């Protein structure tokens, strides 16, 4: 929630917040505000058991060198929301600056090398490595290698989570 004068607040998601910072002078920003991020969908019918073919999925996001494809996104019979997909990063790119969100998140690196930061602690990663970030823990990923980096993500929000 963002305060909008005494006693009033407005709701704002991460994408809206990042877009609203576009007017901040460049001296305060280290990087452009391009973001490749997948917000979990909490509304609609629960996801059903199925197979999604990845090759025909559209890429989402506008962060240079970062493209995400979303396989599943929505509520389930047991979760308020789950979002899962794959992200490719060109050398030197990242999908967004380190961030935090109410969902727990798993990341599996399947190609390339990079750095995952959790709560300010960077760790070098390569294919076969996996990250778990608890809800609201600061985390981020960057391709620090010289080849493409690919990782799969799954974000989960329990029905009783805030």
């Amino acid at each position: 929630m963002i305060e909008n004068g005494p006693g009033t607040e407005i709701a704002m998601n991460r994408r809206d917040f990042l877009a609203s910072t576009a007017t901040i002078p460049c001296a305060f920003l280290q990087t452009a505000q391009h973001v490749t991020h997948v917000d979990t969908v909490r509304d609609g019918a629960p996801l059903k058991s199925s197979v999604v073919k990845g090759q025909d999925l559209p890429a989402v996001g506008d962060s240079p060198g970062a493209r995400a494809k979303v396989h599943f996104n929505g509520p389930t019979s047991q979760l308020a929301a789950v979002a899962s997909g794959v992200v490719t990063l060109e050398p030197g790119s990242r999908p967004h600056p380190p961030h935090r969100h109410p969902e727990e998140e798993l990341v599996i690196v399947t190609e390339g090398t990079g750095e995952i930061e959790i709560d300010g602690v960077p760790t070098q990663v390569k294919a076969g490595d996996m990250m778990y970030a608890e809800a609201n823990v600061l985390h981020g990923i960057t391709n620090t290698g010289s080849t493409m980096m690919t990782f799969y993500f799954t974000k989960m929000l329990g029905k009783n989570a805030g």
Side-chain angles (χ1 to χ4, degrees):
M1 295 297 234
I2 306 292
E3 187 171 325
N4 189 28
T8 61
E9 295 179 336
I10 55 174
M12 185 177 290
N13 66 28
R14 282 181 299 280
R15 184 170 288 129
D16 292 339
F17 172 75
L18 289 171
S20 74
T21 63
T23 58
I24 297 173
C26 289
F28 293 107
L29 300 175
Q30 295 297 316
T31 61
Q33 293 299 312
H34 297 284
V35 175
T36 296
H37 185 271
V38 177
D39 287 323
T40 54
V41 173
R42 300 178 191 192
D43 298 327
L47 295 174
K48 297 293 182 191
S49 299
S50 62
V51 173
V52 174
K53 300 282 192 160
Q55 72 183 38
D56 296 326
L57 292 173
V60 298
D62 66 358
S63 182
R67 291 292 169 259
K69 290 185 174 188
V70 181
H71 292 78
F72 297 99
N73 197 352
T76 72
S77 62
Q78 296 185 27
L79 296 171
V82 63
S84 188
V86 62
V87 177
T88 56
L89 299 176
E90 294 176 8
S93 65
R94 65 183 183 180
H96 43 67
H99 66 293
R100 61 184 84 230
H101 45 70
E103 301 91 354
E104 297 178 75
E105 186 169 10
L106 294 168
V107 165
I108 301 171
V109 179
T110 59
E111 179 183 12
T113 59
E115 181 177 276
I116 292 179
E117 179 182 324
I118 299 178
D119 245 355
V121 178
T123 301
Q124 298 304 307
V125 294
K126 63 183 185 315
D129 293 341
M130 189 172 188
M131 174 204 84
Y132 167 71
E134 297 171 74
N136 299 308
V137 169
L138 187 68
H139 62 282
I141 188 168
T142 303
N143 180 348
T144 58
S146 60
T147 62
M148 289 294 285
M149 180 183 198
T150 302
F151 67 89
Y152 287 80
F153 69 91
T154 300
K155 297 182 346 179
M156 302 144 293
L157 183 68
K159 287 194 176 189
N160 295 324

mmCIF file of all heavy atoms in Angstrom, residues 69-106:
data_model
loop_
_atom_site.group_PDB
_atom_site.id
_atom_site.type_symbol
_atom_site.label_atom_id
_atom_site.label_comp_id
_atom_site.label_asym_id
_atom_site.label_seq_id
_atom_site.Cartn_x
_atom_site.Cartn_y
_atom_site.Cartn_z
ATOM 1 N N LYS A 69 8.899 -17.117 -20.443
ATOM 2 C CA LYS A 69 7.745 -17.817 -20.991
ATOM 3 C C LYS A 69 7.035 -18.456 -19.803
ATOM 4 O O LYS A 69 7.667 -19.134 -19.002
ATOM 5 C CB LYS A 69 8.171 -18.877 -22.004
ATOM 6 C CG LYS A 69 8.721 -18.288 -23.291
ATOM 7 C CD LYS A 69 9.002 -19.372 -24.299
ATOM 8 C CE LYS A 69 9.404 -18.781 -25.625
ATOM 9 N NZ LYS A 69 9.487 -19.825 -26.663
ATOM 10 N N VAL A 70 5.745 -18.220 -19.696
ATOM 11 C CA VAL A 70 4.960 -18.686 -18.558
ATOM 12 C C VAL A 70 4.167 -19.918 -18.959
ATOM 13 O O VAL A 70 3.352 -19.866 -19.877
ATOM 14 C CB VAL A 70 4.016 -17.573 -18.047
ATOM 15 C CG1 VAL A 70 3.219 -18.068 -16.858
ATOM 16 C CG2 VAL A 70 4.818 -16.324 -17.701
ATOM 17 N N HIS A 71 4.412 -21.023 -18.269
ATOM 18 C CA HIS A 71 3.699 -22.271 -18.540
ATOM 19 C C HIS A 71 2.378 -22.341 -17.772
ATOM 20 O O HIS A 71 1.360 -22.759 -18.316
ATOM 21 C CB HIS A 71 4.577 -23.471 -18.173
ATOM 22 C CG HIS A 71 5.754 -23.639 -19.063
ATOM 23 N ND1 HIS A 71 6.889 -22.873 -18.948
ATOM 24 C CD2 HIS A 71 5.980 -24.484 -20.080
ATOM 25 C CE1 HIS A 71 7.762 -23.246 -19.863
ATOM 26 N NE2 HIS A 71 7.231 -24.228 -20.564
ATOM 27 N N PHE A 72 2.413 -21.999 -16.498
ATOM 28 C CA PHE A 72 1.220 -22.048 -15.657
ATOM 29 C C PHE A 72 1.172 -20.785 -14.811
ATOM 30 O O PHE A 72 2.202 -20.299 -14.335
ATOM 31 C CB PHE A 72 1.245 -23.265 -14.718
ATOM 32 C CG PHE A 72 1.226 -24.575 -15.454
ATOM 33 C CD1 PHE A 72 2.389 -25.279 -15.672
ATOM 34 C CD2 PHE A 72 0.023 -25.093 -15.918
ATOM 35 C CE1 PHE A 72 2.375 -26.490 -16.357
ATOM 36 C CE2 PHE A 72 0.001 -26.309 -16.603
ATOM 37 C CZ PHE A 72 1.172 -27.006 -16.823
ATOM 38 N N ASN A 73 -0.047 -20.256 -14.589
ATOM 39 C CA ASN A 73 -0.199 -19.088 -13.731
ATOM 40 C C ASN A 73 -1.653 -19.000 -13.298
ATOM 41 O O ASN A 73 -2.538 -18.764 -14.123
ATOM 42 C CB ASN A 73 0.225 -17.806 -14.451
ATOM 43 C CG ASN A 73 0.470 -16.661 -13.485
ATOM 44 O OD1 ASN A 73 0.183 -16.759 -12.294
ATOM 45 N ND2 ASN A 73 1.007 -15.575 -13.996
ATOM 46 N N GLY A 74 -1.900 -19.229 -12.012
ATOM 47 C CA GLY A 74 -3.254 -19.126 -11.499
ATOM 48 C C GLY A 74 -3.403 -19.825 -10.168
ATOM 49 O O GLY A 74 -2.449 -20.399 -9.637
ATOM 50 N N PRO A 75 -4.599 -19.800 -9.613
ATOM 51 C CA PRO A 75 -4.849 -20.504 -8.353
ATOM 52 C C PRO A 75 -4.974 -22.010 -8.615
ATOM 53 O O PRO A 75 -5.181 -22.438 -9.755
ATOM 54 C CB PRO A 75 -6.185 -19.917 -7.893
ATOM 55 C CG PRO A 75 -6.866 -19.495 -9.159
ATOM 56 C CD PRO A 75 -5.769 -19.073 -10.099
ATOM 57 N N THR A 76 -4.807 -22.789 -7.568
ATOM 58 C CA THR A 76 -5.038 -24.230 -7.646
ATOM 59 C C THR A 76 -5.996 -24.598 -6.520
ATOM 60 O O THR A 76 -6.388 -23.745 -5.724
ATOM 61 C CB THR A 76 -3.727 -25.042 -7.484
ATOM 62 O OG1 THR A 76 -3.300 -24.979 -6.126
ATOM 63 C CG2 THR A 76 -2.633 -24.539 -8.411
ATOM 64 N N SER A 77 -6.340 -25.860 -6.413
ATOM 65 C CA SER A 77 -7.239 -26.260 -5.337
ATOM 66 C C SER A 77 -6.574 -26.102 -3.970
ATOM 67 O O SER A 77 -7.265 -25.987 -2.963
ATOM 68 C CB SER A 77 -7.709 -27.701 -5.541
ATOM 69 O OG SER A 77 -6.600 -28.580 -5.510
ATOM 70 N N GLN A 78 -5.241 -26.071 -3.917
ATOM 71 C CA GLN A 78 -4.541 -25.968 -2.636
ATOM 72 C C GLN A 78 -3.758 -24.667 -2.454
ATOM 73 O O GLN A 78 -3.349 -24.354 -1.341
ATOM 74 C CB GLN A 78 -3.597 -27.154 -2.459
ATOM 75 C CG GLN A 78 -4.353 -28.468 -2.392
ATOM 76 C CD GLN A 78 -3.431 -29.624 -2.083
ATOM 77 O OE1 GLN A 78 -2.390 -29.468 -1.464
ATOM 78 N NE2 GLN A 78 -3.825 -30.810 -2.500
ATOM 79 N N LEU A 79 -3.517 -23.931 -3.541
ATOM 80 C CA LEU A 79 -2.717 -22.710 -3.461
ATOM 81 C C LEU A 79 -3.518 -21.498 -3.928
ATOM 82 O O LEU A 79 -4.316 -21.596 -4.858
ATOM 83 C CB LEU A 79 -1.455 -22.831 -4.333
ATOM 84 C CG LEU A 79 -0.457 -23.905 -3.935
ATOM 85 C CD1 LEU A 79 0.612 -24.055 -5.014
ATOM 86 C CD2 LEU A 79 0.175 -23.569 -2.584
ATOM 87 N N ALA A 80 -3.251 -20.348 -3.309
ATOM 88 C CA ALA A 80 -3.877 -19.110 -3.755
ATOM 89 C C ALA A 80 -3.355 -18.737 -5.137
ATOM 90 O O ALA A 80 -4.078 -18.155 -5.948
ATOM 91 C CB ALA A 80 -3.592 -17.983 -2.764
ATOM 92 N N ALA A 81 -2.088 -19.089 -5.428
ATOM 93 C CA ALA A 81 -1.504 -18.797 -6.726
ATOM 94 C C ALA A 81 -0.234 -19.611 -6.919
ATOM 95 O O ALA A 81 0.501 -19.868 -5.963
ATOM 96 C CB ALA A 81 -1.177 -17.309 -6.846
ATOM 97 N N VAL A 82 0.005 -19.998 -8.168
ATOM 98 C CA VAL A 82 1.267 -20.612 -8.557
ATOM 99 C C VAL A 82 1.583 -20.099 -9.960
ATOM 100 O O VAL A 82 0.691 -19.978 -10.797
ATOM 101 C CB VAL A 82 1.220 -22.159 -8.520
ATOM 102 C CG1 VAL A 82 0.226 -22.716 -9.512
ATOM 103 C CG2 VAL A 82 2.592 -22.753 -8.758
ATOM 104 N N ALA A 83 2.833 -19.721 -10.164
ATOM 105 C CA ALA A 83 3.299 -19.294 -11.491
ATOM 106 C C ALA A 83 4.582 -20.056 -11.767
ATOM 107 O O ALA A 83 5.463 -20.149 -10.905
ATOM 108 C CB ALA A 83 3.545 -17.795 -11.532
ATOM 109 N N SER A 84 4.684 -20.600 -12.982
ATOM 110 C CA SER A 84 5.845 -21.402 -13.327
ATOM 111 C C SER A 84 6.190 -21.182 -14.787
ATOM 112 O O SER A 84 5.300 -21.049 -15.628
ATOM 113 C CB SER A 84 5.541 -22.877 -13.062
ATOM 114 O OG SER A 84 6.693 -23.652 -13.210
ATOM 115 N N GLY A 85 7.491 -21.136 -15.079
ATOM 116 C CA GLY A 85 7.913 -20.930 -16.452
ATOM 117 C C GLY A 85 9.418 -20.990 -16.584
ATOM 118 O O GLY A 85 10.127 -21.471 -15.691
ATOM 119 N N VAL A 86 9.912 -20.472 -17.692
ATOM 120 C CA VAL A 86 11.334 -20.499 -18.013
ATOM 121 C C VAL A 86 11.788 -19.099 -18.414
ATOM 122 O O VAL A 86 11.036 -18.350 -19.043
ATOM 123 C CB VAL A 86 11.622 -21.529 -19.133
ATOM 124 C CG1 VAL A 86 10.912 -21.171 -20.425
ATOM 125 C CG2 VAL A 86 13.113 -21.689 -19.366
ATOM 126 N N VAL A 87 13.014 -18.761 -18.031
ATOM 127 C CA VAL A 87 13.596 -17.464 -18.368
ATOM 128 C C VAL A 87 14.945 -17.701 -19.027
ATOM 129 O O VAL A 87 15.731 -18.522 -18.557
ATOM 130 C CB VAL A 87 13.774 -16.574 -17.114
ATOM 131 C CG1 VAL A 87 14.453 -15.255 -17.471
ATOM 132 C CG2 VAL A 87 12.433 -16.321 -16.438
ATOM 133 N N THR A 88 15.205 -16.968 -20.110
ATOM 134 C CA THR A 88 16.530 -16.982 -20.727
ATOM 135 C C THR A 88 17.150 -15.613 -20.549
ATOM 136 O O THR A 88 16.477 -14.584 -20.678
ATOM 137 C CB THR A 88 16.464 -17.336 -22.224
ATOM 138 O OG1 THR A 88 15.587 -16.425 -22.889
ATOM 139 C CG2 THR A 88 15.975 -18.762 -22.433
ATOM 140 N N LEU A 89 18.443 -15.619 -20.212
ATOM 141 C CA LEU A 89 19.190 -14.380 -19.996
ATOM 142 C C LEU A 89 20.416 -14.360 -20.892
ATOM 143 O O LEU A 89 21.213 -15.297 -20.894
ATOM 144 C CB LEU A 89 19.654 -14.279 -18.540
ATOM 145 C CG LEU A 89 18.593 -14.242 -17.446
ATOM 146 C CD1 LEU A 89 19.255 -14.240 -16.069
ATOM 147 C CD2 LEU A 89 17.713 -13.011 -17.616
ATOM 148 N N GLU A 90 20.584 -13.276 -21.631
ATOM 149 C CA GLU A 90 21.801 -13.081 -22.402
ATOM 150 C C GLU A 90 22.933 -12.718 -21.435
ATOM 151 O O GLU A 90 22.673 -12.273 -20.302
ATOM 152 C CB GLU A 90 21.593 -11.968 -23.423
ATOM 153 C CG GLU A 90 20.586 -12.318 -24.499
ATOM 154 C CD GLU A 90 20.314 -11.179 -25.457
ATOM 155 O OE1 GLU A 90 21.024 -10.141 -25.398
ATOM 156 O OE2 GLU A 90 19.389 -11.312 -26.268
ATOM 157 N N PRO A 91 24.186 -12.898 -21.852
ATOM 158 C CA PRO A 91 25.304 -12.534 -20.977
ATOM 159 C C PRO A 91 25.166 -11.095 -20.461
ATOM 160 O O PRO A 91 24.826 -10.186 -21.217
ATOM 161 C CB PRO A 91 26.522 -12.685 -21.884
ATOM 162 C CG PRO A 91 26.116 -13.745 -22.861
ATOM 163 C CD PRO A 91 24.651 -13.471 -23.117
ATOM 164 N N GLY A 92 25.380 -10.934 -19.156
ATOM 165 C CA GLY A 92 25.319 -9.625 -18.520
ATOM 166 C C GLY A 92 23.929 -9.137 -18.174
ATOM 167 O O GLY A 92 23.780 -8.066 -17.591
ATOM 168 N N SER A 93 22.894 -9.884 -18.501
ATOM 169 C CA SER A 93 21.536 -9.391 -18.248
ATOM 170 C C SER A 93 20.924 -10.016 -16.999
ATOM 171 O O SER A 93 21.407 -11.006 -16.468
ATOM 172 C CB SER A 93 20.637 -9.655 -19.463
ATOM 173 O OG SER A 93 20.468 -11.035 -19.661
ATOM 174 N N ARG A 94 19.849 -9.383 -16.563
ATOM 175 C CA ARG A 94 19.049 -9.876 -15.442
ATOM 176 C C ARG A 94 17.601 -9.498 -15.734
ATOM 177 O O ARG A 94 17.337 -8.524 -16.441
ATOM 178 C CB ARG A 94 19.519 -9.297 -14.117
ATOM 179 C CG ARG A 94 19.341 -7.791 -14.003
ATOM 180 C CD ARG A 94 19.891 -7.288 -12.691
ATOM 181 N NE ARG A 94 19.647 -5.852 -12.564
ATOM 182 C CZ ARG A 94 20.014 -5.138 -11.537
ATOM 183 N NH1 ARG A 94 20.653 -5.729 -10.532
ATOM 184 N NH2 ARG A 94 19.753 -3.859 -11.477
ATOM 185 N N PRO A 95 16.653 -10.253 -15.201
ATOM 186 C CA PRO A 95 15.257 -9.943 -15.495
ATOM 187 C C PRO A 95 14.769 -8.671 -14.795
ATOM 188 O O PRO A 95 13.909 -7.975 -15.315
ATOM 189 C CB PRO A 95 14.490 -11.165 -15.010
ATOM 190 C CG PRO A 95 15.426 -11.903 -14.112
ATOM 191 C CD PRO A 95 16.815 -11.500 -14.468
ATOM 192 N N HIS A 96 15.340 -8.377 -13.643
ATOM 193 C CA HIS A 96 14.938 -7.216 -12.852
ATOM 194 C C HIS A 96 15.917 -7.083 -11.701
ATOM 195 O O HIS A 96 16.637 -8.034 -11.375
ATOM 196 C CB HIS A 96 13.509 -7.376 -12.316
ATOM 197 C CG HIS A 96 13.226 -8.736 -11.781
ATOM 198 N ND1 HIS A 96 13.823 -9.240 -10.645
ATOM 199 C CD2 HIS A 96 12.437 -9.728 -12.252
ATOM 200 C CE1 HIS A 96 13.412 -10.469 -10.436
ATOM 201 N NE2 HIS A 96 12.583 -10.797 -11.397
ATOM 202 N N PRO A 97 15.962 -5.937 -11.038
ATOM 203 C CA PRO A 97 16.815 -5.805 -9.851
ATOM 204 C C PRO A 97 16.341 -6.751 -8.750
ATOM 205 O O PRO A 97 15.199 -7.233 -8.790
ATOM 206 C CB PRO A 97 16.612 -4.351 -9.423
ATOM 207 C CG PRO A 97 16.077 -3.656 -10.619
ATOM 208 C CD PRO A 97 15.289 -4.692 -11.384
ATOM 209 N N PRO A 98 17.188 -7.037 -7.755
ATOM 210 C CA PRO A 98 16.726 -7.858 -6.626
ATOM 211 C C PRO A 98 15.413 -7.302 -6.067
ATOM 212 O O PRO A 98 15.216 -6.088 -6.008
ATOM 213 C CB PRO A 98 17.871 -7.744 -5.618
ATOM 214 C CG PRO A 98 19.078 -7.546 -6.482
ATOM 215 C CD PRO A 98 18.592 -6.650 -7.602
ATOM 216 N N HIS A 99 14.532 -8.206 -5.703
ATOM 217 C CA HIS A 99 13.187 -7.831 -5.273
ATOM 218 C C HIS A 99 12.688 -8.825 -4.235
ATOM 219 O O HIS A 99 13.336 -9.823 -3.957
ATOM 220 C CB HIS A 99 12.246 -7.827 -6.484
ATOM 221 C CG HIS A 99 12.060 -9.197 -7.061
ATOM 222 N ND1 HIS A 99 13.079 -9.897 -7.681
ATOM 223 C CD2 HIS A 99 10.989 -10.021 -7.082
ATOM 224 C CE1 HIS A 99 12.639 -11.081 -8.062
ATOM 225 N NE2 HIS A 99 11.365 -11.183 -7.705
ATOM 226 N N ARG A 100 11.516 -8.562 -3.698
ATOM 227 C CA ARG A 100 10.874 -9.477 -2.752
ATOM 228 C C ARG A 100 9.385 -9.510 -3.066
ATOM 229 O O ARG A 100 8.842 -8.554 -3.607
ATOM 230 C CB ARG A 100 11.150 -9.089 -1.307
ATOM 231 C CG ARG A 100 10.647 -7.734 -0.910
ATOM 232 C CD ARG A 100 11.034 -7.333 0.518
ATOM 233 N NE ARG A 100 12.359 -6.766 0.547
ATOM 234 C CZ ARG A 100 13.320 -7.138 1.396
ATOM 235 N NH1 ARG A 100 13.083 -8.044 2.305
ATOM 236 N NH2 ARG A 100 14.506 -6.583 1.360
ATOM 237 N N HIS A 101 8.752 -10.619 -2.742
ATOM 238 C CA HIS A 101 7.323 -10.778 -2.980
ATOM 239 C C HIS A 101 6.763 -11.789 -1.989
ATOM 240 O O HIS A 101 7.517 -12.537 -1.365
ATOM 241 C CB HIS A 101 7.040 -11.191 -4.426
ATOM 242 C CG HIS A 101 7.931 -12.268 -4.957
ATOM 243 N ND1 HIS A 101 7.889 -13.578 -4.532
ATOM 244 C CD2 HIS A 101 8.921 -12.221 -5.882
ATOM 245 C CE1 HIS A 101 8.788 -14.286 -5.191
ATOM 246 N NE2 HIS A 101 9.441 -13.483 -6.016
ATOM 247 N N PRO A 102 5.435 -11.819 -1.827
ATOM 248 C CA PRO A 102 4.833 -12.702 -0.823
ATOM 249 C C PRO A 102 4.895 -14.184 -1.187
ATOM 250 O O PRO A 102 4.696 -15.025 -0.319
ATOM 251 C CB PRO A 102 3.384 -12.229 -0.737
ATOM 252 C CG PRO A 102 3.119 -11.550 -2.032
ATOM 253 C CD PRO A 102 4.437 -10.955 -2.465
ATOM 254 N N GLU A 103 5.169 -14.524 -2.440
ATOM 255 C CA GLU A 103 5.268 -15.926 -2.837
ATOM 256 C C GLU A 103 6.633 -16.502 -2.453
ATOM 257 O O GLU A 103 7.633 -15.795 -2.444
ATOM 258 C CB GLU A 103 5.124 -16.079 -4.365
ATOM 259 C CG GLU A 103 3.839 -15.558 -4.927
ATOM 260 C CD GLU A 103 3.935 -14.097 -5.349
ATOM 261 O OE1 GLU A 103 4.967 -13.436 -5.108
ATOM 262 O OE2 GLU A 103 2.964 -13.604 -5.916
ATOM 263 N N GLU A 104 6.664 -17.797 -2.154
ATOM 264 C CA GLU A 104 7.918 -18.528 -2.049
ATOM 265 C C GLU A 104 8.344 -18.842 -3.479
ATOM 266 O O GLU A 104 7.492 -18.955 -4.363
ATOM 267 C CB GLU A 104 7.723 -19.817 -1.264
ATOM 268 C CG GLU A 104 7.300 -19.566 0.175
ATOM 269 C CD GLU A 104 7.058 -20.861 0.916
ATOM 270 O OE1 GLU A 104 8.047 -21.526 1.276
ATOM 271 O OE2 GLU A 104 5.880 -21.186 1.107
ATOM 272 N N GLU A 105 9.658 -18.965 -3.717
ATOM 273 C CA GLU A 105 10.103 -19.198 -5.090
ATOM 274 C C GLU A 105 11.225 -20.216 -5.164
ATOM 275 O O GLU A 105 12.132 -20.218 -4.333
ATOM 276 C CB GLU A 105 10.571 -17.893 -5.735
ATOM 277 C CG GLU A 105 10.908 -18.034 -7.200
ATOM 278 C CD GLU A 105 11.118 -16.709 -7.907
ATOM 279 O OE1 GLU A 105 11.193 -15.657 -7.245
ATOM 280 O OE2 GLU A 105 11.202 -16.726 -9.150
ATOM 281 N N LEU A 106 11.132 -21.080 -6.177
ATOM 282 C CA LEU A 106 12.189 -22.025 -6.520
ATOM 283 C C LEU A 106 12.717 -21.661 -7.893
ATOM 284 O O LEU A 106 11.945 -21.321 -8.790
ATOM 285 C CB LEU A 106 11.649 -23.454 -6.575
ATOM 286 C CG LEU A 106 11.166 -24.057 -5.266
ATOM 287 C CD1 LEU A 106 10.393 -25.332 -5.543
ATOM 288 C CD2 LEU A 106 12.354 -24.347 -4.367
#
